[in-house]
Amino acid sequence: MRTRTTVVSTGLAAALAALLVLTGCTSSGGSTREGAGGAATPPAAASTAPGGVAGYEGPRPQDQNLLAWTGDPNDAGHVTAQSAAGVAGRVTLVRIVLRERTAWSNIWLGLAGIDPNARLSDCYLGVYDAHGALRGSTADISPQLMTDAIAKPLPLSKPFTATPGTYFVALLLNGNWATNALTLKSTGAGISVNAGLTPPNLRYSTVLTGQTSLPATLNLAEQSTATINTGWASQWYAVS
């Protein structure tokens, strides 16, 4: 009996050891695991984002060393064209929304085509805040509009720090050029870009006439779409 008891005890111990091993394997490789307090928690879900990148949200300005933009430049496939009689002396506004505090030094403009015979002067880019105050502007960009039909950064004369909020990139053109020759990259089709919006929050508009420089303030309630609706499509801009 003593020998039999020893054999049984040894067999029982081996069976318990095997059970513990199996239990351990199930805990580490199964569909559940124990967290704090012994509660079962599900395994981490695998990412289903494109390319396996967690939190992928599509193209961002930072992907191209920019701080903000009016839209992905890959989608800016159309160009704008308008006669000098239609837009010269008008301040054209394109709304841009900043989501974070931004040190704004340059306005990027997409120049799609040049008119080598143009006579340009008093052409500027600037930035207005949601109250219509001019926060920064470039020097006369007439020379840059005559060369290199590419996206180019145009520096503000005095960079500034922009807090999160709504801003308007302002373009002022003056001089004479051939219609459809001086062209800018576009992000929208003019009329549809303002769907659901009214002044002073239009995404694309013009204000004033007969300007040779960007005024210190604008009355954004005077935003107009009259020129926009003739085909002066919304320009593409970026911030750096």
Side-chain angles (χ1 to χ4, degrees), residues 5-21:
T5 301
T6 301
V7 172
V8 172
S9 299
T10 302
L12 180 60
L16 289 173
L19 180 60
L20 289 173
V21 171

Side-chain angles (χ1 to χ4, degrees), residues 20 49 70 82 117 119 177 228:
L20 289 173
T70 54
Q82 184 62 279
N117 298 314
R119 297 291 182 266
W177 61 89
I228 304 307

Side-chain angles (χ1 to χ4, degrees), residues 150-229:
I150 58 174
K152 57 181 68 179
L154 300 168
L156 297 176
S157 298
K158 186 178 294 185
F160 72 102
T161 299
T163 57
T166 297
Y167 295 85
F168 296 89
V169 176
L171 170 67
L172 177 63
L173 298 176
N174 278 293
N176 292 286
W177 61 89
T179 301
N180 297 322
L182 176 62
T183 56
L184 308 176
K185 297 301 290 185
S186 168
T187 57
I191 298 173
S192 60
V193 77
N194 288 312
L197 299 173
T198 57
N201 297 309
L202 293 181
R203 191 173 178 182
Y204 187 44
S205 64
T206 64
V207 293
L208 303 177
T209 59
Q211 303 299 302
T212 57
S213 62
L214 291 174
T217 59
L218 293 176
N219 182 357
L220 296 175
E222 296 177 352
Q223 288 177 326
S224 170
T225 60
T227 301
I228 304 307
N229 293 347

